[in-house]
């Protein structure tokens, strides 16, 4: 089950004619048919990733809830709904999106540190599966709503275990200095004070970060969660569910990823004997490798120190390199065998120096009008896009068994506002 670190996507490959294909369709043909910049998603790749994840948790009583924040393309969500996968959401808008795409309310888990009273009321009225509470103060807000509406509700407490996930500081969520979750030292007191007739605290949740590539942080966090669960049960509290979050990393450029056999062993080690249902919230590991972003070269600019490959994709389309210093492989849509290679800084058209996708990338000589493909953008790509510089975000297509479905064409910023 361990991934080959050299493979970014099983759906992406060069054919004999030198053209780069995605799900057996030429990337150049996709660009010509649907325009650029263009996000493309492979249903086949997502299904393969899902099967790998399902196999890793198959020994346990478990359910999967896809992290909607990673990719809320409606056809992606609808596919998960048909596969019986639930939704992990962090806003009222994501609840509405999940429901619209066929995911049932009883298959939705609501996480997030900043749920407003409006968000909470909406979730309660929709009778979603559970709310993962992240603070003492959030419980007080829920209590006010529950006392007024007298509706039953299941909640889990998101535990902050003070564990370093050894990932980028902006996507680390499990240390005491992070804003997420309730410090593990305070969980027992909350159970004692708030478990009443208006709502039932029946579980615990933990999520320590994203793009985790080593199983050790999970081992440390799960050990703390196990000990806490045993202590709470010994005090007479009923723990029915443990939400183990997500965070498993993917391949971006030859980096190692978690061996799913080892991940399974860690879960088995800590939870197999606890008689609890396990919930998982994968996002990136299911869709990250399933997305590419095709871009057209606007021009090649020669500088004093660098050659700039200026593409029509901007940081408004893909902010990860600018925000996280993230590395994405960038490939030519047509490979020339034994062609001369040169170094390029690959940049976008946004008026920001940070609008850069790769520095000193050695790639074949490219010209105006050629296409390039940015790999591994299926997670936190389109979902983080914006209208910066009044640019229309990239279009999106979904490929399933060689059939192409166009899922959205974003409005121009001029159409977003009422006339003054």
């Amino acid at each position: 089950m361990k991934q080959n670190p050299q493979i970014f996507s099983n759906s992406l490959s060069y054919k004999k004619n030198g053209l780069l294909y995605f799900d057996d369709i030429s990337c150049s043909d996709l660009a010509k048919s649907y325009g650029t910049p263009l996000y493309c998603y492979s249903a086949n790749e997502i299904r393969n990733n899902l099967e790998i994840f399902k196999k890793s948790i198959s020994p346990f009583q478990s359910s999967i809830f896809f992290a909607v924040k990673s990719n809320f393309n409606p056809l992606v969500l609808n596919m998960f709904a048909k596969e019986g996968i639930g939704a992990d959401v962090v806003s009222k808008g994501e609840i509405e999106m999940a429901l619209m795409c066929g995911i049932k309310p009883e298959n939705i888990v609501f996480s997030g540190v900043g749920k407003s009273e409006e968000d909470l009321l909406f979730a309660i009225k929709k009778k979603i599966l559970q709310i993962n509470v992240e603070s003492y103060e959030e419980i007080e807000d829920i209590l006010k709503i529950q006392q007024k509406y007298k509706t039953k509700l299941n909640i889990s407490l998101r535990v902050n275990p003070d564990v370093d996930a050894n990932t980028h500081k902006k996507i680390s969520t499990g240390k005491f200095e992070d804003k997420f979750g309730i410090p593990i030292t305070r969980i027992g007191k909350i159970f004692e004070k708030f478990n009443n007739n208006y709502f039932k605290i029946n579980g615990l949740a933990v999520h320590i970060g994203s793009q985790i590539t080593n199983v050790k942080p999970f081992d440390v966090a799960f050990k703390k969660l196990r000990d806490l669960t045993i202590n709470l049960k010994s005090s007479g509290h009923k723990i029915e569910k443990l939400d183990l979050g997500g965070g498993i990393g993917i391949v971006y450029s030859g980096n190692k990823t978690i061996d799913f056999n080892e991940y399974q062993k860690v879960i088995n080690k800590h939870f197999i004997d606890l008689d609890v249902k396990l919930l998982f919230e994968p996002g990136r590991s299911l869709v990250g490798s399933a997305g590419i972003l095709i871009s057209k070269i606007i021009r090649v600019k020669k500088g004093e120190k660098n050659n700039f490959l200026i593409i029509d994709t901007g940081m408004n389309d893909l902010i990860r390199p600018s925000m996280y210093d993230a590395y994405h492989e960038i490939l030519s849509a047509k490979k020339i065998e034994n062609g001369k290679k040169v170094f390029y800084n690959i940049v976008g058209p946004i008026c920001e120096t940070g609008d850069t996708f790769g520095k000193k990338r050695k790639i074949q000589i490219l010209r105006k009008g050629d296409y390039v493909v940015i790999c591994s953008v299926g997670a936190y790509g389109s979902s983080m896009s914006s209208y910066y510089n009044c640019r229309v975000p990239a279009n999106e297509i979904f490929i399933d068994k060689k059939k192409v479905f166009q899922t959205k064409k974003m409005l121009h910023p001029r159409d977003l506002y009422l006339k003054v």
Side-chain angles (χ1 to χ4, degrees):
M1 284 189 284
K2 193 171 184 179
Q3 292 179 319
N4 182 339
Q6 301 305 317
I7 296 176
F8 313 118
S9 171
N10 292 311
S11 296
L12 193 63
S13 62
Y14 283 104
K15 303 293 185 180
K16 291 181 180 180
N17 55 9
L19 293 177
L20 185 61
Y21 281 73
F22 187 67
D23 263 5
D24 293 324
I25 304 175
S26 162
C27 292
S28 296
D29 288 345
L30 289 171
K32 292 172 185 176
S33 296
Y34 299 99
T36 57
L38 179 69
Y39 274 102
C40 309
Y41 305 118
S42 165
N44 184 60
E45 180 81 3
I46 294 173
R47 290 192 184 100
N48 287 341
N49 292 338
L50 181 59
E51 286 307 307
I52 291 172
F53 193 87
K54 281 183 175 179
K55 187 175 180 181
S56 73
I57 64 172
S58 59
F60 316 109
Q61 182 188 2
S62 60
S63 298
I64 298 173
F65 300 83
F66 173 67
V68 174
K69 64 181 178 290
S70 65
N71 188 320
F72 51 76
N73 181 284
L75 288 177
V76 171
L77 295 183
N78 183 250
M79 189 186 79
F80 282 126
K82 290 177 180 177
E83 294 283 343
I85 304 302
D88 163 48
V89 302
V90 294
S91 71
K92 175 186 173 184
E94 287 190 355
I95 296 176
E96 292 173 317
M97 195 71 178
L99 294 173
M100 182 190 81
C101 295
I103 297 174
K104 297 179 180 179
E106 61 270 23
N107 218 5
I108 296 176
V109 174
F110 193 5
S111 304
V113 70
K115 308 179 197 76
S116 68
E117 291 187 26
E118 179 186 358
D119 292 335
L120 292 168
L121 178 58
F122 182 81
I124 290 168
K125 286 185 173 180
K126 290 296 181 181
K127 298 180 180 180
I128 68 169
L129 177 65
Q130 72 181 41
I131 295 175
N132 287 347
V133 170
E134 303 218 18
S135 67
Y136 177 97
E137 293 79 6
E138 184 181 337
I139 294 177
E140 292 183 320
D141 286 340
I142 291 175
L143 186 57
K144 291 176 186 177
I145 296 171
Q146 291 295 94
Q147 287 174 333
K148 181 177 180 179
Y149 290 95
K150 302 293 192 298
T151 57
K152 294 291 183 179
L153 174 68
N154 290 329
I155 70 173
S156 285
L157 303 183
R158 178 171 174 177
V159 179
N160 184 320
D162 195 29
V163 171
D164 188 349
N166 296 319
T167 187
H168 193 283
K169 64 182 180 180
K170 291 184 179 180
I171 51 177
S172 173
T173 61
K175 296 185 289 185
F176 280 165
E177 58 262 38
D178 298 326
K179 68 179 182 179
F180 299 95
I182 302 167
I184 194 169
T185 53
R186 301 179 187 175
I187 297 295
K189 292 180 180 179
I190 290 177
F191 265 89
E192 294 293 341
K193 182 172 183 178
F194 286 106
N195 216 359
N196 56 54
N197 293 329
Y198 291 112
F199 57 75
K200 182 169 78 170
I201 304 176
N202 67 348
L204 301 170
V206 68
H207 180 77
I208 59 174
S210 187
Q211 186 54 19
I212 301 170
T213 57
N214 190 304
V215 77
K216 290 181 181 179
F218 288 119
D219 192 20
V220 176
F222 292 170
K223 171 65 165 61
K224 290 188 175 186
L225 189 63
R226 171 187 174 82
D227 292 344
L228 177 61
T229 301
I230 291 172
N231 289 338
L232 289 170
K233 282 189 170 188
S234 67
S235 299
H237 301 295
K238 193 172 184 180
I239 306 296
E240 299 172 356
K241 305 173 188 175
L242 295 177
D243 185 337
L244 302 185
I248 294 175
I250 66 167
V251 173
Y252 283 107
S253 178
N255 59 285
K256 294 181 179 179
T257 57
I258 285 173
D259 185 328
F260 279 94
N261 287 312
E262 294 301 315
Y263 182 65
Q264 183 185 97
K265 289 177 183 177
V266 169
I267 298 167
N268 186 78
K269 170 184 172 182
H270 295 299
F271 305 119
I272 193 67
D273 62 336
L274 290 188
D275 189 28
V276 292
K277 184 174 181 179
L278 301 179
L279 281 60
F280 296 88
E281 300 171 354
R284 189 192 310 260
S285 61
L286 299 185
V287 297
S289 66
I292 61 170
L293 181 54
I294 306 176
S295 304
K296 187 176 183 177
I297 298 173
I298 297 174
R299 64 181 54 89
V300 180
K301 175 182 175 180
K302 292 184 178 180
E304 287 296 323
K305 294 184 178 180
N306 297 298
N307 291 323
F308 295 94
L309 206 62
I310 303 173
I311 62 177
D312 62 0
T313 291
M315 60 187 285
N316 70 302
D317 301 303
L318 179 66
I319 201 171
R320 296 191 71 256
S322 176
M323 187 172 182
Y324 304 122
D325 298 315
Y327 187 100
H328 289 265
E329 284 291 341
I330 301 175
L331 307 174
S332 171
K334 185 174 183 180
K335 182 168 64 175
I336 300 174
E337 291 295 338
N338 302 317
K340 182 180 178 181
K341 294 185 178 181
V342 297
F343 288 98
Y344 291 111
N345 283 2
I346 303 173
V347 301
I350 298 290
C351 287
E352 299 274 355
T353 301
D355 185 32
T356 300
F357 300 99
K359 293 184 178 181
K360 301 294 184 183
R361 298 291 183 92
K362 194 173 185 179
I363 193 170
Q364 70 186 49
I365 294 176
L366 293 168
R367 295 175 175 83
K368 177 179 180 177
D370 288 344
Y371 299 110
V372 294
V373 175
I374 305 175
C375 303
S376 307
V377 297
Y380 306 104
S382 176
S383 65
M384 297 180 75
S385 63
S386 74
Y387 289 94
Y388 190 43
N389 281 192
C390 283
R391 285 172 51 85
V392 179
N395 199 6
E396 300 184 34
I397 60 172
F398 182 82
I399 304 172
D400 192 1
K401 299 174 183 176
K402 293 188 179 182
K403 292 183 179 179
V404 179
F405 303 89
Q406 191 166 356
T407 54
K408 68 178 182 180
K409 182 64 177 177
M410 300 296 290
L411 291 174
H412 191 280
R414 65 173 176 265
D415 301 318
L416 296 176
Y417 297 94
L418 295 173
K419 290 184 178 179
V420 177

